[in-house]
Amino acid sequence: MSAALFPRTPPLTGENAELGREQIRACFHATQDRYEQLFEVLGGDAAFYEKPIPLRHPLIFYFGHTATFFVNKLLLAGLLDERIEPRFESVFAVGVDEMSWDDLDDAHYDWPSVAAVRAYRQRVRAVVDAVISRMPLDLPIGWESPAWVVLMGIEHERIHLETSSVLIRQHALRHVRPHPAWQPWRTSGAAPVNRLVEIPAGVVSLGKTDASYGWDNEYGHHVASLPAFQAARHLVSNGEFLAFVEAGGYRDAAWWDAEGLAWKTYAQATHPSFWVPADGAWRLRLMLEEVDMPWNWPVEVNCLEAAAFCAWKAAQSGLPVRLPSEDEWLRLYDHAGIAEVPADAPAPANLHLDHGASCCPVDTFRHGDLYDVVGNVWQWTQTPIYPFDGFRVHPLYDDFTTPTFDGRHNLFKGGSWISCGNESRRSARYAFRRHFFQHAGFRYVVGASIPVSQSAMPASQYESDKLLAEYAEFHYGDPHFGVENFPKALADLAIRAMGSRPARRALDLGCAAGRSSFELARHFDQVTGIDFSARFIGLGVQMQAQGRLRYTFVEEGELLSYQERNLADLGLAEARGKVAFFQGDACNLKPNFSGYDLILASNLIDRLYSPAKFLDSVHERLNRGGLLLIATPCTWLEEHTPRAEWVGGFKRDGENFTTLDGLKEKLTVHFRLIEGPLDVPFVLRETKRKFQHTLSEVTIWEKQ
């Protein structure tokens, strides 16, 4: 391989294990070198500590984070016996999850010096090199192989190579300096006219099958048959996007959906983020400098801006212009005859750091009838990321993908100029929040509206701040109208039904803000709380960590009350240490969530995308003689559960088929009904004077 090429992802197969070991070692060191070289562009230590944007940590965190990731994963895998620097491995462990554009992170951190972090990285490098030398290595490399953990660390660092370059691009110019290893393209000109290309109907198949490292969301399978559609020949250029800006696209609310309008209003956006007004003209901020606007380079915007442009373009042209789906991008890839980045030659695209440290003109790299099907910039799609059939979470990185299965993270495809390794491959599936800035642009397509994905998991519907406050109040607030607190009532029912049965471990599925989990911990030795919503889990985690929860509640209109609830006041302080919270999918739980004496499924089954999957397999999670308590208001809605997946609430053979009928049909193979149905009421407070009063049907089942 040419020394000028950044090493590709090492293969998982081969005939010579020792050759494979050395390929992994070379890739590890090259990635470490390139990552540290990126931080050489910072113009002094001060640049490491000033945040490029309020929503992220300062760059000192990212300088240390990728090394800490190696340590933490090697410890989990049993390849290290002890930590290298415990304080660093605490402060550098978890980054800021940009939950919302206005979710500011104002926490104070006692960051170590740049020199100390640089020395720490060298210590970690030596330790990982030693692990590579001594780890057992059999080919092919699979998920359980020690080598997989090392590859995970390498690919994780390559992701941060890209995301850190974006943060550096967002940094003040005074904090960066030119660097010979990070020189941008210098060619530019007028934007080409963008024309539509006919894409014939075809079938796409997704699901990783090649012998290279992949993240968990790439595995499984998905097949879709697509009708013919049209696609723009080029990525949307700065020049093409200028027409939208000059037409008042950022001022006119008509082109923006509710999410886009809220972001635009908050950000006070009037043009793409990297465009810089300059004396009646436009300049472009690159990673390390500003240049005169290259109109034939791709515009770099977030998904909300791309969607607004498409809405405007549709109105101007009279055509159904929109962003492509993930399936349609794969159809473009296959139609263009794209191949993976070669191992020993430059990529035929602006990809994998093979050409320059910036975008390039959109008519530089031709791929069949199209340009830039891969490379130059990531391409936003309209598809929120979802799990393929057969999806499994990797046990050593269980929160890589699952927090993004919330309907708020859209996939983008194709990679950018700095996308390396796994990021550059056809099978790559990376998703970011729609307001997120990356080296990302878009290509539009013309075709009839289609579902976001033929098999996409419906998103969690419980993510707004208002609903979070309502559920915090529902779990920890005062009772109303003489109705007992619902999470507590269910936990009390479950504990009473347990009687003298073993009470070692309980699983609270659909735990939401966590009250039932704490209540169950009064009786059980250990309680696991799982919910699909990462933000709901955050309420339980905060209550557990701090013993209190603070939130604002809407009383009327814009009038708020400030609430603080304490576990001690609820008599639950001693339960804190017996509960563990996780985000997870009840239809697709990890294997380690098993061996329970009780499973509580609270108002869950009529909010699942496939309740039958859950009901058919839930017995595998319970010990013999264990209990399953199901509570459901039986409010079947297609926004949560596709009609074909309902287990009740419809006519069958002309007769009513209730949810209870469906439960009996599904569960009696492995369970017997020992109590119920019981109607348990609950009250959900929405404002000072508006409440929901609902009856949940409760049944209790014993595993045979």
Side-chain angles (χ1 to χ4, degrees):
M1 180 184 294
S2 168
L5 295 178
F6 192 35
R8 304 348 183 180
T9 299
L12 305 179
T13 58
E15 300 297 327
N16 187 328
E18 290 311 306
L19 176 60
R21 188 188 306 275
E22 293 312 311
Q23 289 175 323
I24 293 172
R25 191 194 312 277
C27 190
F28 165 69
H29 285 292
T31 303
Q32 291 273 296
D33 290 343
R34 193 64 157 146
Y35 191 71
E36 291 167 6
Q37 189 180 59
L38 176 65
F39 287 83
E40 292 174 6
V41 307
L42 297 179
D45 286 4
F48 282 84
Y49 300 99
E50 182 176 311
K51 290 184 179 183
I53 58 174
L55 298 172
R56 292 303 207 195
H57 284 315
L59 285 159
I60 189 67
F61 169 84
Y62 301 97
F63 192 42
H65 171 64
T66 56
T68 284
F69 183 91
F70 270 109
V71 174
N72 288 339
K73 298 309 177 187
L74 291 173
L75 282 166
L76 278 175
L79 297 172
L80 286 183
D81 296 326
E82 58 184 5
R83 295 197 169 277
I84 296 174
E85 179 57 67
R87 187 174 79 86
F88 286 13
E89 283 138 21
S90 173
V91 75
F92 291 138
V94 180
V96 176
D97 180 11
E98 189 181 350
M99 301 302 292
S100 179
W101 55 81
D102 54 353
D103 184 19
L104 301 182
D105 173 52
D106 293 322
H108 173 73
Y109 295 88
D110 183 18
W111 299 112
S113 70
V114 176
V117 178
R118 188 173 288 115
Y120 169 68
R121 288 187 58 88
Q122 293 307 307
R123 292 169 64 194
V124 173
R125 184 191 285 233
V127 166
V128 176
D129 185 272
V131 168
I132 294 171
S133 295
R134 68 173 184 265
M135 67 184 181
L137 182 59
D138 297 315
L139 300 176
I141 298 168
W143 272 25
E144 306 304 320
S145 170
W148 191 272
V149 186
V150 177
L151 292 172
M152 179 183 289
I154 293 170
E155 293 296 340
H156 172 263
E157 188 150 51
R158 290 182 173 204
I159 291 172
H160 279 284
L161 179 71
E162 177 156 355
T163 57
S164 296
S165 76
V166 178
L167 287 172
I168 289 170
R169 188 177 184 184
Q170 293 172 308
H171 222 344
L173 271 175
R174 69 179 184 277
H175 283 316
V176 300
R177 58 191 177 193
H179 192 290
W182 298 99
Q183 289 298 304
W185 284 68
R186 296 298 182 186
T187 58
S188 64
V193 175
N194 210 350
R195 305 187 187 280
L196 294 173
V197 174
E198 300 291 333
I199 308 298
V203 176
V204 295
S205 177
L206 291 81
K208 189 172 181 65
T209 58
D210 64 349
S212 66
Y213 178 89
W215 298 106
D216 55 11
N217 64 59
E218 299 169 28
Y219 294 91
H221 57 275
H222 168 69
V223 177
S225 180
L226 300 178
F229 62 99
Q230 295 176 301
R233 182 183 302 276
H234 302 286
L235 299 173
V236 173
S237 64
N238 288 313
E240 187 174 9
F241 199 84
L242 177 65
F244 173 66
V245 175
E246 292 185 335
Y250 281 83
R251 297 191 302 272
D252 193 339
W255 314 126
W256 302 79
D257 64 14
E259 182 184 358
L261 190 60
W263 167 78
K264 180 177 71 72
T265 301
Y266 176 84
Q268 299 184 321
T270 58
H271 53 76
S273 179
F274 297 119
W275 287 22
V276 181
D279 298 325
W282 292 102
R283 293 173 64 78
L284 183 67
R285 170 63 190 267
L286 306 183
M287 188 168 73
L288 303 179
E289 60 185 286
E290 287 180 6
V291 297
D292 291 338
M293 180 62 70
W295 295 113
N296 59 346
W297 289 19
V299 69
E300 294 167 274
V301 292
N302 66 27
C303 190
L304 303 172
E305 294 168 292
F309 174 92
C310 288
W312 172 81
K313 185 78 173 179
Q316 303 306 305
S317 65
L319 298 173
V321 176
R322 56 176 172 78
L323 292 175
S325 67
E326 180 186 28
D327 293 344
E328 287 172 326
W329 181 85
L330 265 293
R331 185 75 190 101
L332 297 182
Y333 187 104
D334 295 345
H335 174 70
I338 305 293
E340 301 289 4
V341 174
D344 54 0
N350 190 13
L351 192 62
H352 218 291
L353 283 171
D354 283 355
H355 299 287
S358 73
C359 297
C360 68
V362 297
D363 52 2
T364 303
F365 291 98
R366 183 165 186 165
H367 300 138
D369 299 330
L370 305 163
Y371 288 81
D372 291 328
V373 174
V374 297
N376 221 357
V377 290
W378 289 96
Q379 300 169 46
W380 285 108
T381 77
Q382 64 168 292
T383 306
I385 190 170
Y386 65 97
F388 293 148
D389 289 343
F391 167 78
R392 292 187 299 124
V393 175
H394 195 285
L396 293 182
Y397 202 172
D398 59 2
D399 58 352
F400 178 79
T401 302
T402 52
T404 66
F405 292 153
D406 59 2
R408 293 168 173 255
H409 292 73
N410 275 34
L411 286 151
F412 53 24
K413 309 293 288 187
S416 75
W417 54 270
I418 195 174
S419 298
C420 302
N422 172 268
E423 291 178 298
S424 71
R425 302 189 72 84
R426 178 187 185 274
S427 56
R429 301 184 83 221
Y430 292 87
F432 287 96
R433 290 183 178 270
R434 290 180 282 271
H435 64 272
F436 192 90
F437 285 106
Q438 192 70 2
H439 304 302
F442 66 105
R443 179 194 313 275
Y444 52 82
V445 300
V446 171
S449 296
I450 61 171
V452 168
S453 172
Q454 281 82 353
S455 67
M457 179 194 298
S460 167
Q461 301 296 320
Y462 301 117
E463 291 288 339
S464 76
D465 291 337
K466 182 175 184 297
L467 275 172
L468 285 175
E470 288 175 10
Y471 269 76
E473 183 76 2
F474 179 48
H475 278 236
Y476 301 106
D478 299 326
H480 301 283
F481 308 111
V483 176
E484 186 180 7
N485 178 278
F486 182 68
K488 182 180 187 303
L490 292 186
D492 288 344
L493 268 176
I495 291 170
R496 177 180 57 75
M498 288 296 295
S500 60
R501 293 177 175 86
R504 293 158 298 202
R505 302 177 68 227
L507 173 61
D508 184 9
L509 270 178
C511 67
R515 174 70 179 272
S516 293
S517 300
F518 293 119
E519 294 286 351
L520 289 172
R522 293 185 291 109
H523 182 73
F524 288 85
D525 296 334
Q526 296 179 343
V527 179
T528 304
I530 296 179
D531 199 273
F532 190 71
S533 166
R535 300 192 78 190
F536 271 3
I537 291 295
L539 296 176
V541 169
Q542 182 180 343
M543 183 63 97
Q544 181 183 40
Q546 301 177 8
R548 68 171 184 251
L549 193 61
R550 294 171 174 169
Y551 54 93
T552 57
F553 193 84
V554 176
E555 297 291 339
E556 59 178 272
E558 297 177 351
L559 303 181
L560 306 176
S561 64
Y562 295 85
Q563 306 290 339
E564 179 174 325
R565 306 296 180 179
N566 294 277
L567 278 183
D569 294 342
L570 301 171
L572 296 171
E574 295 182 2
R576 289 169 63 181
K578 298 165 68 176
V579 178
F581 290 108
F582 301 91
Q583 185 186 32
D585 171 10
C587 301
N588 199 9
L589 289 175
K590 293 189 293 183
N592 58 298
F593 294 123
S594 59
Y596 293 101
D597 301 306
L598 169 78
I599 296 179
L600 169 60
S602 174
N603 291 356
L604 175 73
I605 61 167
D606 57 354
R607 292 298 182 266
L608 299 177
Y609 62 92
S610 182
K613 282 186 178 181
F614 167 68
L615 294 170
D616 288 342
S617 62
V618 66
H619 66 279
E620 300 171 359
R621 312 286 172 179
L622 270 173
N623 297 325
R624 183 175 296 276
L627 299 188
L628 169 66
L629 188 155
I630 294 180
T632 174
C634 308
T635 50
W636 296 100
L637 297 170
E638 289 194 84
E639 66 186 272
H640 300 292
T641 310
R643 172 62 181 78
E645 294 283 349
W646 294 5
V647 297
F650 51 81
K651 294 278 189 179
R652 177 187 282 186
D653 300 326
E655 302 296 333
N656 291 346
F657 190 80
T658 67
T659 302
L660 181 59
D661 294 329
L663 292 179
K664 290 178 177 178
E665 182 177 86
K666 289 288 183 184
L667 292 177
T668 50
V669 177
H670 300 286
F671 293 87
R672 71 181 181 94
L673 180 62
I674 64 169
E675 189 170 348
L678 308 171
D679 282 339
V680 178
F682 63 88
V683 173
L684 180 64
R685 181 186 177 207
E686 294 186 25
T687 67
K688 184 176 182 178
R689 294 177 178 83
K690 183 181 179 184
F691 300 81
Q692 291 183 27
H693 182 274
T694 310
L695 297 178
S696 189
E697 185 174 74
V698 175
T699 50
I700 303 177
W701 308 76
E702 182 181 52
K703 181 180 175 181
Q704 301 300 294

